[in-house]
Amino acid sequence: MGMFFTLFLKLCKEKHLKPDSELLERLPRNDTLLLDLSHMSICADMCGILGKALSFDETINELRFSDCMICPEGMQAILHGLASNTSVRKLNLKGNQIRGNTVESLGYMLRNNNCLTSICLEWNDLGILETPFIVFCDGLQANCNLRRLDIRNNQVTHHGAKQLAEALSSNKTLQVIESSLQCNQKLQLMKTNCKHKTHILCKQYRHLESENKKQVLNLMDKLSCTQGYLNHEKRNSGHQLMQLKETLKEKNQAFNELFSKFTETDTQLTLMKEKSSSQEECIKKLQEQLSGLKAQFQKELHQEREEFRNKEKNLVKDLSKASSKSIQLECKLSDSETKCHALQEQVYELKEHIACLHSEIELKEAQNKDMLEQKRNEFNEKIKQFEGIQKKEQLQQKESWENLETNLRNQIQKSEQSRLALEEDVASLKTANIALRVKAEEDIAILKAGIKTDNDLRYEQLQNKIFLIESSKEDFKKQWETSQQQLNDMNNKLARKETEKEAETGKYKMEINQLHSKLDAEAQIQRELKNKLLEMEQKLSEHDNIYKVMMKKHEVELASLHEQLRTKGSQLNCLCDEVTQRAQSLQSAVSITRTSLS
């Protein structure tokens, strides 16, 4: 791993930033002399880390940041790091829109850096503002190690060129002037080549115009021929259409006669249908009476079912009340059990407290014995007095502890008595709950028996009603069968008349279909003629469209060529003017330097 790469990663970790994968790929992994980050978008935070890494690095000799479009804050951070760098010899900052405060920081870097020998600042905006450009010129004047400086296409004004000339008077940068003069020669060659190409394009345009005119004349001749042919065919088709119209009038008269006969037969059919509809109405009345009887029967069944459901709901409510009472009793049981548990926990806590007190007493006795054994040799005479005092204290302590134990035992006995009383209450509550459940079950059994007897009686009544309804239904069926026989007779008569009518209408339809087939044949002939006319018109329109498209393409190509020529000419003129002005200013600067040297 290279020194610069490890330094960059360490700075990223310190600032808690994740570097881009592309940037990591471009960074040198070994101690190489070149760092190329051209044509890459770098954020301001990454530029700050790169600037810090460059300020400490001693391995990289050449830096390339061309066409990165770095923001002003990021560029200032990089230049600030380069101000204290001691290894970079070549720096390329082409196409980064350096302007304003960044130009001032560039001047600060040139003033403080003593190792750079070549800087490329082409295609930037150094000369837009005068005050930052003055700081840049001061930095150039202070730097004594630069050998190559490229400031082409930086919008340097005349005032800026004078300041640059004054700065260059104390710096050897003749190579820059030579490179700019070479650029003027290249631009002149480009201008001559463009003029030669415009001359060739004009010749090609004239040749294309002549060919297009010839094609237009040929197309016009073809269009005149096709129009004459179309007029001749239109006259023939008009004559044929007149003949077809006369035949259609004759056939329409015959069709009207057949239609009058068809209407007479329709009136007879409507009369027969009216008679059948009256019979159908009688049948519907009988069906309505049946539906009324069914509805009454269904209503009675629905009422009985609702009464049965209401009784069931009342029984369910009684059961829910009994269950709620049992739940309340169970809740009381659970409360009493919780109280018992709480009392038991208090007893356990008291026992633990007594054990802790015993342990403390034993510890104190052990401590006292140790103290006595240590001081027996020193204070043999005073032991007797202290022993008497200690015995009295021990007796007092024992009496106090005995009193505590008796009190605690009394409390335990009381808690056990209360627990026994609660257990007796719980047992009595359980017996009462069981008795209530037995009573509720007996009541439910009695109610179920009563409901069963009521249901049996109602079932017998309903069966009797169903028997009566079925007997009335048989009588109604006999009447229904007689009416259906009458309807069948009427339908047979109608079917015979309809067959006769269909035979007559079939004859008329055959004649009408023959007439339609003839008319369809004539209409197809007319359609074929119309299709031919449409095809001819489409061909003509296609020829016109192709010709118009070709003309538009040629016009667009010519317009684009003219615009390209104009833009290139304007660009060349602007470049020539700028280069001549800069060459004059630089030549003046060179003359000033030569005079100063001489």
Side-chain angles (χ1 to χ4, degrees), residues 366-426:
Q367 288 175 2
N368 289 321
K369 284 177 182 179
D370 292 330
M371 291 290 288
L372 287 166
E373 285 174 356
Q374 287 176 3
K375 292 179 179 180
R376 270 177 189 175
N377 297 319
E378 295 176 356
F379 303 101
N380 290 319
E381 293 176 356
K382 293 180 180 180
I383 286 167
K384 291 177 182 179
Q385 294 175 0
F386 283 112
E387 282 178 354
I389 293 161
Q390 282 179 358
K391 282 178 182 178
K392 288 178 183 179
E393 286 177 356
Q394 284 176 359
L395 289 167
Q396 289 175 0
Q397 284 178 357
K398 282 179 182 180
E399 286 174 358
S400 63
W401 291 123
E402 284 173 358
N403 291 322
L404 282 169
E405 283 178 354
T406 53
N407 291 322
L408 289 168
R409 283 173 184 171
N410 291 322
Q411 287 179 1
I412 290 160
Q413 286 175 0
K414 287 178 182 179
S415 62
E416 284 178 352
Q417 288 174 0
S418 62
R419 184 173 62 78
L420 291 167
L422 288 167
E423 284 177 355
E424 288 174 356
D425 293 332
V426 168

Side-chain angles (χ1 to χ4, degrees), residues 70-84 91 93 97-113 116 119 121 126 131-140 143:
I70 298 167
C71 63
E73 294 174 357
M75 186 57 73
Q76 286 174 12
I78 289 164
L79 293 169
H80 186 72
L82 286 168
S84 59
L91 179 63
L93 298 174
Q97 290 184 353
I98 297 169
R99 62 177 75 179
N101 293 324
T102 49
V103 179
E104 290 180 358
S105 57
L106 204 153
Y108 172 77
M109 185 270 292
L110 288 170
R111 186 184 292 276
N112 293 311
N113 194 317
L116 278 170
I119 301 177
L121 301 169
L126 300 176
T131 52
F133 194 70
I134 291 164
V135 176
F136 171 73
C137 292
D138 292 336
L140 272 176
N143 196 314

Side-chain angles (χ1 to χ4, degrees), residues 342-372:
L343 289 167
Q344 285 176 359
E345 286 175 357
Q346 287 178 2
V347 169
Y348 287 130
E349 286 175 357
L350 290 167
K351 285 179 180 179
E352 286 175 357
H353 185 64
I354 290 160
C356 291
L357 290 169
H358 280 297
S359 63
E360 285 176 0
I361 289 160
E362 289 174 358
L363 288 167
K364 285 180 180 180
E365 284 177 356
Q367 288 175 2
N368 289 321
K369 284 177 182 179
D370 292 330
M371 291 290 288
L372 287 166

